[in-house]
Amino acid sequence: MNKETFEKKLFYLDGVRGLAAFAVVISHYIQVFYPAALNGRPQQAHFKWDIWYGHSPINLFYNGQFAVCLFFVLSGYVLSVKMFENELDSETFLKLLHSSALRRYIRLAVPAAVSVLLVYLAIITNAFYLQDIWGTTWTDMKKNYYALDTNIYTVIKAAIFDPFFRFEAHPYNPVLWTMSYELLGSFLIFGFLALFGRVKKRWIVYVVLSFAFIQTYFVAFLWGMLLADLLKHKWVQSILMKVLVLLMGIYLGSAPYTSLMGTMYEPLEVWTKNFDIDPRLLARTLGAAMILFALLRSKVLQHVFGWKPFVYLGQISFSLYLIHFTILNTFSAFLFSKVIHYFSYNLAYAITFLVSMVPLFILSHYYMKYIDQGALKLARKVEKRMTE
């Protein structure tokens, strides 16, 4: 794969990543304003179709766990695809691997830490308003930010340590629970490549590790790497097969949060109940891998996801992901608490969501430009110093 082809691939992969990040944004707005679409409880429904579309493939567009699985599969693919190039000699292979490993923590930690500091600033300025709209939205997301510890040591620890070494919801910025998987999943990739990347029968290791990690998010990284490993093989060129793989990926990826029994997803629960496996996590991870597989085999899909607005969305995706929850709980909650007095519930939500996207995208752009890109530059400088 030459450099031009690889960069072209990254463009449409950026598009996929951007849309996945936006799906996470939508999922959290749905969680606050239309909770029944996620939990399936009629008593929390604001609109008669909430539960119906929550049980249909439409929920793919706001299925946060599916989007996270797609993030992880993409990470596994992007971190390993260059390592499987046949023309890489052993020295270059190890040099690339070493370089990626040295930069990874800083690349993730700086943007994550700044997002925690933004939450800290919001706390000390009393900018959170989610509690003001609980009674109106009927959301389950009852996070009292004012109760969080504002001790500076606790905040610094929450910024640079907790997101990466605690596998649980993060109290200051809940979306940071994925950072521990991103960091350790990355090193799973690096370790696999170092030990088995040049071993001919590495498919055996893929099988063994797939069974070992099948109930965790780490299997998403593994399957992403497997897709990169398979890229050079030209099987599954049939248009019909590509379409079937894509449709099956959409079906699996859109497995709802509620019980699958009595829905079109019931077979997933029936087939997995004897194996003590979470059917939703497995379905969404497999669905993410299948969608990426179809994308890698389809020029049409590559053209669609390579559309410039999608690519730009991908460029700001990490920033969008890190700061949207804070915007939701501050600006969006405040705005909704005001407009709900003048408009119907659905219209008040529509106004809140659309207006909130303006500051969110503006802040994400500058966050990407100065924080995210700054982290990349810092990571390269640290790598250079450590290897001199």
Side-chain angles (χ1 to χ4, degrees):
M1 189 192 309
N2 58 43
K3 183 178 180 181
E4 182 180 353
T5 303
F6 182 72
E7 289 178 348
K8 196 173 180 181
K9 285 184 176 297
L10 285 182
F11 280 137
Y12 67 74
L13 293 179
D14 274 345
V16 175
R17 186 182 291 107
L19 289 170
F22 196 57
V24 173
V25 173
I26 295 173
S27 74
H28 287 132
Y29 275 83
I30 292 290
Q31 186 179 357
V32 169
F33 295 101
Y34 293 94
L38 287 177
N39 61 34
R41 297 170 189 160
Q43 64 270 27
Q44 290 175 275
H46 291 281
F47 184 61
K48 63 181 180 179
W49 298 108
D50 285 356
I51 295 175
W52 174 81
Y53 66 74
H55 286 160
S56 76
I58 293 174
N59 89 82
L60 185 77
F61 297 104
Y62 65 86
N63 194 312
Q65 191 186 55
F66 163 74
V68 166
C69 290
L70 189 53
F71 283 147
F72 293 161
V73 172
L74 280 167
S75 291
Y77 178 86
V78 172
L79 289 172
S80 61
V81 65
K82 290 181 70 175
M83 308 303 295
F84 289 115
E85 293 182 16
N86 292 327
E87 60 267 26
L88 283 180
D89 57 72
S90 296
E91 183 179 351
T92 304
F93 176 85
L94 291 175
K95 187 176 180 179
L96 282 173
L97 198 59
H98 186 235
S99 175
S100 298
L102 282 176
R103 296 199 307 262
R104 194 58 176 165
Y105 172 74
I106 295 174
R107 190 268 172 275
L108 294 172
V110 172
V114 174
S115 78
V116 172
L117 295 181
L118 289 178
V119 174
Y120 173 75
L121 290 175
I123 294 172
I124 62 177
T125 56
N126 295 324
F128 285 99
Y129 289 89
L130 181 62
Q131 70 280 357
D132 292 353
I133 62 173
W134 285 344
T136 307
T137 64
W138 309 330
T139 181
D140 296 320
M141 191 189 293
K142 295 188 176 182
K143 176 64 68 176
N144 187 352
Y145 283 94
Y146 296 107
L148 290 174
D149 189 355
T150 54
N151 176 276
I152 195 66
Y153 168 77
T154 304
V155 173
I156 292 174
K157 179 174 175 289
I160 63 176
F161 178 83
D162 293 350
F164 301 96
F165 304 103
R166 292 177 59 187
F167 290 90
E168 56 188 59
H170 194 278
Y172 292 83
N173 188 3
V175 301
L176 292 182
W177 71 268
T178 61
M179 292 299 100
S180 54
Y181 288 99
E182 275 288 354
L183 182 64
L184 297 183
S186 299
F187 280 91
L188 168 66
I189 298 297
F190 300 148
F192 183 102
L193 290 170
L195 294 173
F196 310 108
R198 294 300 174 95
V199 176
K200 288 186 177 180
K201 292 187 178 181
R202 57 184 175 272
W203 64 267
I204 298 174
V205 186
Y206 280 119
V207 172
V208 172
L209 291 181
S210 291
F211 279 108
F213 293 129
I214 198 65
Q215 295 188 75
T216 74
Y217 286 102
F218 292 118
V219 76
F221 292 90
L222 186 70
W223 289 350
M225 180 170 55
L226 177 60
L227 290 178
D229 204 352
L230 295 174
L231 182 65
K232 55 185 173 292
H233 301 295
K234 298 302 180 183
W235 44 283
V236 186
Q237 294 299 308
S238 163
I239 294 178
L240 178 60
M241 283 300 296
K242 294 173 187 176
V243 171
L244 289 176
V245 170
L246 177 62
L247 291 177
M248 180 56 71
I250 292 172
Y251 167 73
L252 293 171
S254 61
Y257 285 84
T258 58
S259 173
L260 306 182
M261 301 305 290
T263 71
M264 63 185 292
Y265 302 94
E266 184 174 331
L268 301 177
E269 195 153 316
V270 172
W271 295 337
T272 57
K273 68 179 181 180
N274 294 324
F275 298 99
D276 194 27
I277 294 175
D278 179 355
R280 295 167 194 79
L281 178 58
L282 177 60
R284 291 163 186 160
T285 307
L286 188 56
M290 294 178 79
I291 289 173
L292 181 57
F293 179 88
L295 174 63
L296 294 171
R297 291 291 191 271
S298 171
K299 297 295 182 183
V300 174
L301 290 177
Q302 291 171 15
H303 180 73
V304 170
F305 288 104
W307 188 38
K308 286 186 178 180
F310 290 163
V311 173
Y312 174 73
L313 196 59
Q315 291 171 349
I316 65 170
S317 61
F318 194 30
S319 303
L320 197 71
Y321 178 81
L322 290 174
I323 67 176
H324 79 272
F325 204 85
T326 304
I327 296 292
L328 167 60
N329 286 277
T330 55
F331 178 83
S332 299
F334 172 77
L335 180 60
F336 184 80
S337 71
K338 301 304 179 182
V339 298
I340 190 61
H341 298 298
Y342 305 99
F343 302 100
S344 67
Y345 188 90
N346 290 333
L347 184 54
Y349 167 73
I351 292 171
T352 298
F353 181 80
L354 292 175
V355 173
S356 296
M357 292 304 102
V358 177
L360 175 59
F361 273 79
I362 291 173
L363 288 173
S364 295
H365 175 82
Y366 287 103
Y367 201 94
M368 175 270 295
K369 187 175 181 180
Y370 295 106
I371 307 301
D372 197 17
Q373 294 297 322
L376 289 171
K377 293 176 183 177
L378 178 61
R380 293 191 189 101
K381 288 181 180 179
V382 171
E383 178 201 358
K384 186 176 180 180
R385 289 289 181 88
M386 292 180 70
T387 53
E388 283 179 349

